[in-house]
Amino acid sequence: MLHCMLPLNEILIDFHDTLKSVSHGYASMDYEPAGYQISDIVKMDILLNSETVDAFATMVHRDKARTRGQQMCKALSETIPPHQFKIPVQAAIGKEIIAREDIRPFRKDVLAKLYGGDVTRKMKVLEKQKRGKARMKEFGHVNVPQSAFIAVLKGTIKEK
């Protein structure tokens, strides 16, 4: 029998799952609240294309903020589909960026319709594409699918 004091957040997220998996489902636990205590909790925001997404904002302990931020950014970068421009996914505490992942852009082959010939024509088409992508990044909107929200929740739970 083990008696200890843990933050309620740790019991709900990690401890119970770990206890059940280590004991192959035989262990059980009982808990009772020990009251409120002062802790170093910070608000972590997730930024998609430099815009805050309030749905992903969480309250975490300062010691675990970096790992949770990396985990959430990785889960989002794997589930959000590529757009025509590079999308930075960042975790931030206040104005400090603590984690970053990039969603790569998909490339449209604009040179497919050109059949060789003059290099300057190719460069002109590529330059036009670059300007279009820059404009799209400036005004572009990132669509977040429902699966991204589920992936972030599952990714946060499986932290080790």
Side-chain angles (χ1 to χ4, degrees), residues 81-98:
H83 288 60
Q84 288 188 345
F85 52 94
K86 185 166 108 174
I87 304 169
V89 180
Q90 300 169 324
I93 296 175
K95 298 208 181 260
E96 179 187 0
I97 304 297
I98 58 171

Side-chain angles (χ1 to χ4, degrees), residues 45-71:
D45 292 317
I46 299 295
L47 306 168
L48 282 176
N49 202 20
S50 302
E51 294 179 13
T52 305
V53 180
D54 292 331
F56 293 125
T58 57
M59 302 297 287
V60 294
H61 195 275
R62 188 176 298 275
D63 295 340
K64 292 193 172 192
R66 192 169 302 278
T67 57
R68 292 249 170 108
Q70 289 172 346
Q71 198 173 54

Side-chain angles (χ1 to χ4, degrees), residues 9-152:
N9 183 25
E10 296 302 316
I11 292 173
L12 295 177
I13 289 179
D14 198 27
F15 184 73
H16 186 262
D17 294 339
T18 306
L19 179 69
K20 287 295 187 179
S21 65
V22 166
S23 67
H24 300 289
Y26 286 106
S28 64
M29 69 174 228
D30 188 24
Y31 67 92
E32 55 189 54
Y36 295 101
Q37 295 181 6
I38 295 174
S39 185
D40 192 13
I41 303 292
V42 293
K43 180 183 177 189
M44 183 176 66
D45 292 317
I46 299 295
L47 306 168
L48 282 176
N49 202 20
S50 302
E51 294 179 13
T52 305
V53 180
D54 292 331
F56 293 125
T58 57
M59 302 297 287
V60 294
H61 195 275
R62 188 176 298 275
D63 295 340
K64 292 193 172 192
R66 192 169 302 278
T67 57
R68 292 249 170 108
Q70 289 172 346
Q71 198 173 54
M72 289 177 75
C73 288
K74 185 170 175 70
L76 284 172
S77 69
E78 291 174 353
T79 55
I80 295 176
H83 288 60
Q84 288 188 345
F85 52 94
K86 185 166 108 174
I87 304 169
V89 180
Q90 300 169 324
I93 296 175
K95 298 208 181 260
E96 179 187 0
I97 304 297
I98 58 171
R100 178 185 171 122
E101 291 279 333
D102 289 328
I103 301 173
R104 62 170 181 75
F106 65 82
R107 280 188 59 126
K108 182 178 177 185
D109 190 11
V110 293
L111 299 179
K113 61 186 176 189
L114 299 178
Y115 54 87
D118 193 12
V119 175
T120 57
R121 279 183 57 206
K122 290 181 184 180
M123 296 310 293
K124 184 177 176 183
V125 170
L126 289 174
E127 190 62 36
K128 183 177 176 185
Q129 182 189 32
K130 187 195 282 186
R131 285 194 311 268
K133 281 189 177 192
R135 188 174 59 247
M136 187 178 297
K137 182 176 183 179
E138 193 174 305
F139 300 111
H141 180 69
V142 179
N143 296 324
V144 181
Q146 187 71 29
S147 60
F149 293 97
I150 295 168
V152 166

